[in-house]
């Protein structure tokens, strides 16, 4: 039986007339009569008897009506509950690089779809927030993520940029690989830091001179003063604009930014929102 016929049955029972019910339901009387016949065939009994005064429920029809009214109420309640779930706030954690690079065009959509946004400095902190239940989904670095409990969806890939002052010897080069940086003082954020994790995971066999700073602004100021170089994701390149600094792509390495969550449905919901 078609679920849409439930309301048709109830309306005919209320009006005790096929013609009056068809006018209310905005369908033809023959079409409504056919639907009622389909319901009777489904229950394998006559639910109405017809007289010159109208159409009335049989004993079986009264029983069916009572149960269909309850079923209709349950369906409407379920629909309301699902609607509230779909419209509920999703707590999402972001990297600063994403918020600067990609989120600006999505902010209106995010507000409209009631996303609650939390920005953290690195993916590891976001993963801790996710594990603790403070957020439901992350937009972070999934390049080296290996947890079987987490679901992911890639949003984009980006290169790493080597940033240096215009007086650096690197300014004469067209490309940079990690071996060229062995004699450089590499400034990074203190751990946990996505770029530091990238360096440690990929270049553990190379002795590099790494010096920590507490924030990106102090790193860039030191680089500008000629006290070292730094490596940043391409999405943060706008930070060096108007600072009289130069940058070159680090050869052969990319990082993958994507959605991370324990709940695959949450990933689907957020992806549909940010893809609008």
């Amino acid at each position: 039986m078609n679920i849409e016929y439930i309301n048709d049955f109830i309306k005919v029972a209320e009006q005790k007339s096929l013609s009056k019910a068809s006018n209310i339901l905005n369908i033809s009387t023959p079409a409504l009569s056919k639907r009622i016949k389909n319901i009777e065939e489904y229950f394998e009994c006559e639910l109405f008897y017809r007289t010159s005064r109208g159409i009335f429920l049989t004993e079986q029809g009264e029983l069916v009506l009572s149960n269909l009214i309850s079923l209709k109420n349950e369906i409407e309640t379920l629909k309301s509950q699902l609607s509230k779930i779909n419209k509920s706030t999703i707590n999402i954690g972001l990297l600063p690089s994403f918020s600067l690079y990609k989120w600006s065009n999505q902010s209106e959509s995010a507000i409209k779809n009631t996303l609650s946004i939390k920005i953290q400095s690195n993916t590891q902190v976001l993963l801790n927030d996710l594990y603790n239940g403070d957020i439901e989904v992350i937009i972070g670095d999934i390049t080296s993520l290996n947890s079987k409990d987490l679901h992911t969806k890639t949003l984009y890939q980006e290169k790493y940029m080597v940033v240096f002052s215009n007086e650096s010897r690197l300014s004469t080069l067209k490309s940079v690989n990690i071996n060229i940086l062995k004699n450089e003082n590499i400034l990074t954020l203190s751990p946990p830091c996505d770029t530091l994790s990238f360096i440690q995971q990929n270049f553990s066999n190379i002795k590099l001179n790494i010096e920590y700073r507490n924030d990106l602004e102090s790193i860039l100021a030191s680089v500008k003063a000629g006290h070292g170089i730094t490596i940043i994701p391409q999405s943060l390149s706008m930070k060096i604009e108007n600072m009289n600094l130069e940058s070159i792509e680090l050869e052969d390495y990319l990082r993958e930014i994507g959605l991370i969550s324990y709940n695959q449905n949450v990933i689907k919901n957020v992806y549909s929102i940010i893809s609008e």
Side-chain angles (χ1 to χ4, degrees):
M1 182 181 69
N2 193 318
I3 194 171
E4 294 178 357
Y5 293 178
I6 293 175
N7 193 48
D8 298 336
F9 182 90
I10 295 172
K11 196 60 64 179
V12 170
E14 289 174 348
Q15 297 299 316
K16 299 180 177 61
S17 166
L18 283 169
S19 60
K20 289 180 180 179
S22 63
N23 286 333
I24 295 171
L25 295 167
N26 197 29
I27 60 175
S28 69
T29 301
L32 180 58
S33 179
K34 185 176 180 180
R35 291 185 179 186
I36 296 301
K37 189 66 177 175
N38 286 337
I39 297 172
E40 290 181 318
E41 289 175 355
Y42 179 83
F43 287 108
E44 299 179 350
C45 63
E46 288 189 358
L47 303 177
F48 291 95
Y49 62 90
R50 285 79 173 167
T51 73
S52 59
R53 293 183 294 108
I55 180 171
F56 301 91
L57 290 168
T58 64
E59 183 178 350
Q60 293 93 332
E62 293 282 0
L63 179 61
V64 169
L65 175 64
S66 175
N67 282 275
L68 288 185
I69 290 174
S70 296
L71 180 59
K72 180 186 176 184
N73 291 336
E74 289 178 6
I75 291 173
E76 289 177 349
T77 299
L78 176 61
K79 184 177 179 181
S80 176
Q81 290 173 344
L82 292 175
S83 177
K84 288 179 181 178
I85 291 173
N86 290 335
K87 293 179 181 179
S88 63
T89 299
I90 299 175
N91 298 312
I92 182 170
L94 304 178
L95 294 174
S97 55
F98 183 88
S99 63
L100 288 169
Y101 183 50
K102 293 284 186 178
W103 195 258
S104 58
N105 293 330
Q106 299 291 348
S107 57
E108 184 177 345
S109 174
I111 294 170
K112 180 180 69 176
N113 289 280
T114 61
L115 292 180
S116 177
I117 301 168
K118 182 177 185 179
I119 298 177
Q120 295 283 20
S121 60
N122 61 80
T123 302
Q124 186 56 56
V125 173
L126 289 172
L127 285 170
N128 290 337
D129 289 342
L130 183 68
Y131 179 79
N132 293 330
D134 298 328
I135 54 178
E136 298 165 78
V137 62
I138 295 169
I139 296 180
D141 190 340
I142 65 174
T143 310
S144 58
L145 201 65
N146 55 16
S147 172
K148 295 180 180 180
D149 296 327
L150 291 170
H151 301 280
T152 64
K153 184 173 183 61
T154 300
L155 296 176
Y156 64 93
Q157 291 181 323
E158 63 177 339
K159 296 179 179 180
Y160 283 95
M161 308 298 294
V162 179
V163 181
F164 46 88
S165 71
N166 55 11
E167 296 179 356
S168 169
R169 65 183 183 89
L170 300 178
S171 61
T172 62
L173 302 178
K174 294 183 178 180
S175 62
V176 172
N177 62 55
I178 196 64
N179 289 311
I180 294 175
L181 303 180
K182 286 192 293 186
N183 296 322
E184 298 288 338
N185 189 36
I186 302 175
L187 307 178
T188 75
L189 292 173
S190 302
C193 165
D194 286 355
T195 301
L196 179 59
S197 296
F198 158 73
I199 292 172
Q200 291 171 336
Q201 291 169 7
N202 289 278
F203 312 122
S204 58
N205 60 330
I206 301 174
K207 187 176 181 180
L208 297 172
N209 302 315
I210 298 176
E211 187 176 326
Y212 301 140
R213 292 286 191 277
N214 291 326
D215 56 77
L216 182 59
E217 286 69 25
S218 64
I219 288 176
L220 296 178
S222 295
V223 171
K224 185 175 181 179
H227 297 155
I229 61 102
T230 191
I231 300 172
I232 61 173
Q234 190 175 19
S235 52
L236 283 177
S237 294
M238 63 182 68
K239 284 278 191 177
I240 68 171
E241 293 176 0
N242 304 317
M243 288 194 66
N244 201 27
L245 292 171
E246 298 184 30
S247 65
I248 297 178
E249 294 176 3
L250 180 63
E251 294 177 355
D252 303 324
Y253 291 95
L254 294 171
R255 81 165 179 167
E256 202 167 4
I257 299 299
L259 295 163
I260 307 167
S261 179
Y262 291 107
N263 188 324
Q264 200 161 20
N265 289 328
V266 171
I267 287 182
K268 290 178 181 178
N269 289 340
V270 173
Y271 183 77
S272 67
I273 291 170
I274 66 178
S275 298
E276 289 181 354

